[in-house]
């Protein structure tokens, strides 16, 4: 059976081994692969999570998460809640879930959901590397706590 649910591209605290991955995605995925997309990545003003904006051509490092079919709806609801996304009120949502094309580690283009920052303010430091994990390591020397 072919899974009709789109995978989710994660680029921040939901990446493998980080805090929100442990809370929401761990043991609920069928497959996880490295992937990239383009955009512009910032740390939120307080530095606790990243904000992705569409405009930009930085290579954003992340992971593509194939969620287990029987857990898909629950996981997507938890992700929406985490990201402050309300399908019925996108203007008031902190992030907006959108379909993007990412390129996986084998060079394949894959359609996936990701979450874009949807607020007029709150962007902090630009993450020029496009890699949240690298930024955390440089700032905190210990990404596992986030």
């Amino acid at each position: 059976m072919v899974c009709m649910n789109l995978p989710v591209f994660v680029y921040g605290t939901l990446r493998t081994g980080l805090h929100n991955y442990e809370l929401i995605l761990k043991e609920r995925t069928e497959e996880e692969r490295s992937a990239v997309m383009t955009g512009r990545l910032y740390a939120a003003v307080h530095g606790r999570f990243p904000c992705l904006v569409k405009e930009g051509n930085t290579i954003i490092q992340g992971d593509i998460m194939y969620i287990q079919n029987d857990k898909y709806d629950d996981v997507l609801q938890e992700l929406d809640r985490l990201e402050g996304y309300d399908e019925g009120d996108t203007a008031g949502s902190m992030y907006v879930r959108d379909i993007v094309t990412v390129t996986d580690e084998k060079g394949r283009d894959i359609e996936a959901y990701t979450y874009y920052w949807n607020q007029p303010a709150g962007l902090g430091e630009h993450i020029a590397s496009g890699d949240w994990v690298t930024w955390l390591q440089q700032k905190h020397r210990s990404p596992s706590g986030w």
Side-chain angles (χ1 to χ4, degrees), residues 9-12 15 34-42 50-63 102-103 114 116 126-132:
F9 176 77
V10 298
Y11 52 84
R15 288 183 70 185
S34 295
V36 295
M37 65 172 286
T38 57
R40 198 163 167 87
L41 196 63
Y42 294 86
C51 307
L52 176 64
V53 296
K54 289 181 183 182
E55 297 74 28
N57 57 4
T58 301
I59 302 295
I60 308 302
Q61 303 291 327
D63 300 307
V102 301
T103 304
T114 200
Y116 285 109
H126 173 236
I127 301 174
S129 70
D131 189 335
W132 174 249

Side-chain angles (χ1 to χ4, degrees), residues 105-121:
E105 58 200 14
K106 296 179 180 176
R108 294 178 293 198
D109 287 343
I110 297 165
E111 279 199 337
Y113 286 125
T114 200
Y115 292 86
Y116 285 109
W117 185 244
N118 192 44
Q119 296 300 307

Side-chain angles (χ1 to χ4, degrees), residues 63-79:
D63 300 307
I64 190 162
M65 302 293 181
Y66 292 87
I67 299 163
Q68 294 171 13
N69 230 8
D70 61 334
K71 295 179 172 71
Y72 191 87
D73 291 340
D74 290 340
V75 169
L76 204 61
Q77 281 182 343
E78 288 180 46
L79 292 174

